[in-house]
Amino acid sequence: SLDGERVMLIGGAGFIGHHLALALRAKGAEVMVVDHMQINNIVKVVSDPDLEPARRQLYVNFLLDRFHLMREAGVHLENVDGRMLAEFTSVFNDFLPTKAVHLAAISSAVTANQMPGLAYDLQITSLRNLLELCRLKGSVCNQVVFMSSSTVYGDFESDSVDETIRPQPRGVYANGKYMGERMVREAKQLYDLDYTIVRPSALYGIRCISGRVTQKFIENALMGKPLLLEGGGGGMLDFTHIDDLVEGITRAMVLEGGLSRTFNITFGNARTIAELAAIIKALLPEVVLEERPPASEKPKRGTLEIDRAREFLGFVPSRALDTGYRDYCAWYIEQWQRVKSQSNAALV
């Protein structure tokens, strides 16, 4: 139970954030989402000239569903940029969170590399402001959960990694996440502010518009585009359903064992990109699979071991790829067909 807790989610209107907000409300917490809606959200979607009309409508539907669900659940939503200290301070002091979750970031590593100034500013500045507010007199915040990433490990030197492996991040996105980890650990040393660092991997689930491979593959299949298998599809990722990630984060906020530790919160069993494509192929037999040379800029990945999360959080993931991704694809197909039907009806 989180009865009596007030949880603030910075960057909380995104894919992970809105799922987490709903779960925390179900556990009894008061929840406030602070988000400026411009990165990978409604402002970007409605203004992006490169989005095909069908995909734009699909994304708008997903976003409206997010807002509707949060509103119905009683989640407070503030359209505030965490980088703007004056505005952020005002909502922070009004809400007085007892726990905070930092999620603000450009969700795509490719985009972050192309826009390093924005990527670092969005993540590091908002986190700096959060930690500053948490340490000041009058704050009752006793835990900051920092959403990191499995990319901080860089190239896996073996088939699996655990939290004792020294990070070797590559690229703007991964280095930004690792800097954030260092910042929350330092806040513990200097100000005794408890933290939890969460490292997820290859997320998928309903209402995602973040451009992850799990989303891109099913979209391309529905649009008649081939699924490109880099290196023959042999690359490994520890695909994780959003429900499992949210369960792990929630446990880290409820249980004392979650305090001031770093956790891999994943399914704990890497699968190949080819296996991902095969699930789509079973649902949409006409989809074309095309092999491509391996992408040298992408790190070698594998399984993230979750023994620590099992020990301290009692975390046991339940959504295996074979069933979880199949269900997600079936949901996506249904959403796509609804948009196409609406478009055809409008033409008539």
Side-chain angles (χ1 to χ4, degrees), residues 118-158:
L118 177 61
Y120 285 133
D121 182 40
L122 184 68
Q123 180 171 282
I124 302 303
T125 304
S126 60
L127 179 58
R128 179 204 65 185
N129 289 345
L130 172 62
L131 296 176
E132 178 68 3
L133 292 171
C134 288
R135 81 169 183 87
L136 292 177
K137 183 178 179 181
S139 172
V140 292
C141 189
N142 56 52
Q143 181 186 17
V144 170
V145 178
F146 178 68
M147 190 58 51
S148 185
S149 167
S150 60
T151 60
V152 299
Y153 291 112
D155 283 314
F156 286 23
E157 296 180 357
S158 60

Side-chain angles (χ1 to χ4, degrees), residues 167-277:
Q168 300 182 64
R170 293 171 48 192
V172 171
Y173 179 81
N175 275 284
K177 290 296 187 183
Y178 189 47
M179 282 189 274
E181 291 189 7
R182 299 290 298 271
M183 289 169 68
V184 296
R185 290 194 185 102
E186 197 65 22
K188 171 63 176 176
Q189 293 295 319
L190 294 174
Y191 317 120
D192 197 29
L193 175 62
D194 278 317
Y195 68 86
T196 304
I197 293 169
V198 176
R199 294 172 177 167
S201 172
L203 293 171
Y204 67 94
I206 62 176
R207 297 185 297 278
C208 179
I209 63 166
S210 304
R212 294 174 170 89
V213 64
T214 43
Q215 176 198 344
K216 285 182 176 179
F217 266 26
I218 184 61
E219 277 186 7
N220 285 348
L222 289 168
M223 296 174 69
K225 299 179 180 179
L227 307 188
L228 306 181
L229 305 180
E230 296 173 351
M236 305 285 287
L237 287 173
D238 196 341
F239 295 104
T240 305
H241 195 281
I242 187 64
D243 289 352
D244 284 334
L245 174 65
V246 166
E247 174 71 12
I249 297 172
T250 305
R251 285 175 172 269
M253 299 177 73
V254 171
L255 302 175
E256 188 175 348
L259 295 179
S260 297
R261 289 191 170 95
T262 300
F263 295 102
N264 293 334
I265 303 292
T266 70
F267 190 75
N269 181 29
R271 304 285 292 275
T272 67
I273 301 295
E275 290 178 281
L276 188 78

Side-chain angles (χ1 to χ4, degrees), residues 10-36:
I10 297 86
F15 173 51
I16 298 173
H18 87 279
H19 279 284
L20 180 59
L22 297 173
L24 296 175
R25 283 293 294 144
K27 293 290 184 182
E30 286 294 312
V31 179
M32 174 180 283
V33 164
V34 175
D35 201 304
H36 68 343

Side-chain angles (χ1 to χ4, degrees), residues 2 4 11 17 23 50 70 75 83 98 106 109 114 117 124 140 163 180 201-202 249 261 267 307 320 326 344:
L2 283 165
D50 297 326
M70 287 192 289
V75 174
R83 295 172 295 177
T98 58
I106 291 178
Q114 295 168 345
I124 302 303
V140 292
E163 296 89 344
S201 172
I249 297 172
R261 289 191 170 95
F267 190 75
D307 292 345
R326 183 192 63 205
N344 292 335

